[in-house]
Amino acid sequence: MPSLDGFVLGTYERTTQAILTALPLYIFMAAVLMYSDLADDMYEAIYRWFGGVKGGLAAGTSIVAAVFASMVGVASVATAAVGMVARPSMLKRKYDDQLTLGVIMAGGVLGALIPPSIVMIVYAAEASVSAAALFMAGIVPGIMACLLFIVYSLILCYFRPEKGPSVEADMRYTLREKFQSLKSIVLPGLVILLVLGSIYLGVATPTEAGAVGAVGAVFAAGVRKKLTFVNIKQIFMMTAKLCGIVFWILIGAVAYARIVTVTGTGEWLGSMITDAGLNRWVVLILILLFFLVLGMFIDTVAVLLITAPLFLPVLGAFDFNMVWFGILFTIAVCIGNLTPPFGISIFIMKGVAPDIKTTTLYRAVWPFVFILLFCMILVLLFPEIAMFVPTQMLGQ
């Protein structure tokens, strides 16, 4: 059966791509950092430094959620971990629950955009582009989105202090206590800097940097005495489960891609769009809108693997920069993960805090959805926002 042989050979070829070797390494690194209680320590540091500012905890939570999300590379894990730590603390200090929920969910989805990103690794394999270039391209848009979240929270709480009051003077920490809180996050922070720095300086490929990060994460966890039997078991379970999910999705995507190829659907769609005489920018915007809708229902990696055989050839025919488009795609599915009625992050947050009404979660995400839409429009209109770093570092 030629079709079956083609599927088996295609699956083997796809799942043994060199770039995908990085996936289990980054997932393992993320699992080690997660079970080192990093979210708790990060939030404690943020609370000590920003608690005295109106909206400071909301702004700080955006930072914690974004940083933790970039470490684990999975929005659902980041949202759940930060949500369990940050929400009770913020509610205790009389923060508005709607604002609290919004900053946690919005910060969590940035894990796909701020490197190192699992989604970017899979996209690099599908679009045949450099993962290092994608990592570099995601830095400025990711930081920009996080900063806009912070600015929104601070402005909102400045004009409406009841949304995010400052911590009372007698409960604030001294400068010495603030600096003491940073000790526990120095080692994990150095791990992330080592991974990204080795890539940006050209010392290591993303795969090699992932190996360095995995070893560094284990060392950091060992120093902090977090490598208990229970934690080690959970680390390997998380790594195996997430790797299994991603690679089974990849296997399914190969079968889907074979169907698209054999039936000629991809060629038909591509020729239909190119022959229709549509403006290339109209085509790009329509594809991004399609991603926004799909992201509401399907996991980010699944969205990519389902649509790649259809849309990547079309975008290539219109001569779009595929690294730049990768950032636009990532922002679009980040928005989809937040968008009602079926945004994945909404359901994760509902699981973390079952006492919350779903309508409250819907209202909480909209300001951050519009902020991310604004970021996507900026990257669309000014590609240099995404391409400046890879152009300077790699000449792309």
Side-chain angles (χ1 to χ4, degrees), residues 128-147:
S128 300
V129 298
S130 166
L134 276 170
F135 280 7
M136 295 179 188
I139 293 176
V140 176
I143 293 175
M144 179 177 67
C146 186
L147 288 176

Side-chain angles (χ1 to χ4, degrees), residues 110-323:
L110 292 182
L113 185 58
I114 302 175
S117 166
I118 292 172
V119 174
M120 288 182 182
I121 294 173
V122 178
Y123 177 88
E126 290 296 311
S128 300
V129 298
S130 166
L134 276 170
F135 280 7
M136 295 179 188
I139 293 176
V140 176
I143 293 175
M144 179 177 67
C146 186
L147 288 176
L148 288 174
F149 293 164
I150 293 170
V151 170
Y152 166 76
S153 299
L154 293 177
I155 292 176
L156 176 66
C157 295
Y158 178 80
F159 288 104
R160 300 184 63 184
E162 73 278 5
K163 291 281 187 180
S166 58
V167 175
E168 296 176 4
D170 59 345
M171 295 179 63
R172 296 176 189 176
Y173 290 86
T174 64
L175 188 61
R176 181 181 179 181
E177 290 172 328
K178 291 179 180 179
F179 276 105
Q180 286 177 339
S181 69
L182 299 178
K183 292 181 180 178
S184 58
I185 61 175
V186 168
L187 279 176
L190 287 176
V191 172
I192 300 302
L193 287 176
L194 186 62
V195 170
L196 298 181
S198 62
I199 294 173
Y200 300 150
L201 295 175
V203 177
T205 66
T207 301
E208 293 166 343
V212 172
V215 174
V218 171
F219 175 77
V223 170
R224 301 179 63 201
K225 300 180 181 179
K226 296 295 182 180
L227 292 179
T228 63
F229 176 78
V230 173
N231 281 350
I232 291 173
K233 179 181 177 181
Q234 291 175 321
I235 287 166
F236 280 106
M237 286 294 291
M238 176 179 170
T239 304
K241 286 180 180 179
L242 290 180
C243 285
I245 290 170
V246 172
F247 279 94
W248 271 112
I249 292 175
L250 281 170
I251 291 170
V254 171
Y256 170 75
R258 291 288 170 179
I259 295 172
V260 170
T261 302
V262 171
T263 59
T265 304
E267 294 181 5
W268 169 79
L269 179 64
S271 61
M272 183 182 71
I273 293 175
T274 52
D275 294 343
L278 294 174
N279 182 283
R280 65 199 290 260
W281 294 103
V282 172
V283 173
L284 176 63
I285 291 170
L286 289 175
I287 290 174
L288 290 175
L289 290 174
F290 185 66
F291 285 145
L292 288 174
V293 175
L294 274 186
M296 295 165 55
F297 301 92
I298 308 175
D299 177 73
T300 307
V301 174
V303 171
L304 170 61
L305 295 175
I306 289 171
T307 58
L310 297 174
F311 292 137
L312 292 185
V314 174
L315 294 165
F318 281 111
D319 200 29
F320 283 111
N321 184 304
M322 299 309 290
V323 173

